[in-house]
Amino acid sequence: TQAAVQALERNDLAETLRRIECGLEAGAQGEARGTLYALKTAALFLRNQVDSALATGLSALTLLTAGSRHWFRAIGYASMSAAVLGNQEKVHELAQHFSTVPPPPLALGIYFETSSLVATMLGLIGDREMAELLLSHMQQVGASSEKTDPYTRAWMHYALGRHANAL
């Protein structure tokens, strides 16, 4: 999983997928398998293989602990895949599932990144009410860290800008 993460961080998608397959073939189970699926979801989405990305992301969510770093990665990319495919029901379902998970105190960056992506997808499919609810929650949770954490601030402003654009 670490090798796949490193390849994905370098945006080497072919190598990411190769390393993921090595891990799966080696018999990764449980959380490790879910992590590999989450990484595969991201790589497939970035390669514009959104059908496969959505299916893999949904599989990852069944194996990962809700609220973990890779769970957030899987639900974010699965939401984007569903939106690209025009599957409004799945985007809404994933957004509802996401909204039930509290922000992890030690991983707010990934939480805000995922919140931003999910809110953006909700705006793109025209679910204004759910998008605004998620944006409001982001602003409440991020009120204290927005001033000191540029990553949080960037993702909050990205979400707000994309939402305004969608309107």
Side-chain angles (χ1 to χ4, degrees):
T1 59
Q2 290 177 354
V5 167
Q6 291 170 354
L8 184 61
E9 287 173 352
R10 288 192 321 270
N11 203 31
D12 186 343
L13 303 178
E15 184 63 16
T16 301
L17 292 170
R18 189 188 71 72
R19 291 175 177 188
I20 289 166
E21 289 311 312
C22 287
L24 294 173
E25 289 173 7
Q29 296 297 314
E31 198 84 13
R33 188 175 196 84
T35 298
L36 291 169
Y37 282 167
L39 295 166
K40 187 173 184 177
T41 302
L44 291 170
F45 178 84
L46 294 169
R47 289 179 69 152
N48 202 29
Q49 295 173 285
V50 290
D51 285 321
S52 298
L54 177 57
T56 304
L58 296 176
S59 295
L61 293 172
T62 66
L63 296 169
L64 294 166
T65 301
S68 68
R69 177 171 164 40
H70 293 291
W71 183 88
F72 283 119
R73 182 188 311 260
I75 203 160
Y77 279 101
S79 297
M80 291 189 295
S81 298
V84 169
L85 292 167
N87 189 337
Q88 295 180 359
E89 288 179 26
K90 186 56 72 179
V91 174
H92 190 75
E93 177 187 317
L94 290 166
Q96 285 184 317
H97 187 43
F98 173 80
S99 69
T100 66
V101 176
L106 299 176
L108 283 178
I110 189 70
Y111 175 80
F112 281 105
E113 179 180 338
T114 305
S115 293
S116 178
L117 296 174
V118 172
T120 299
M121 295 308 106
L122 288 165
L124 289 176
I125 65 164
D127 192 341
R128 181 178 181 167
E129 184 178 335
M130 184 77 164
E132 289 177 353
L133 184 63
L134 189 54
L135 289 168
S136 174
H137 185 257
M138 281 179 68
Q139 289 174 310
Q140 289 171 1
V141 170
S144 62
S145 62
E146 179 185 10
K147 293 179 176 121
T148 59
D149 181 7
Y151 194 76
T152 298
R153 184 173 47 255
W155 279 108
M156 285 182 64
H157 286 277
Y158 175 82
L160 293 168
R162 294 291 296 182
H163 181 66
N165 187 7
L167 294 178

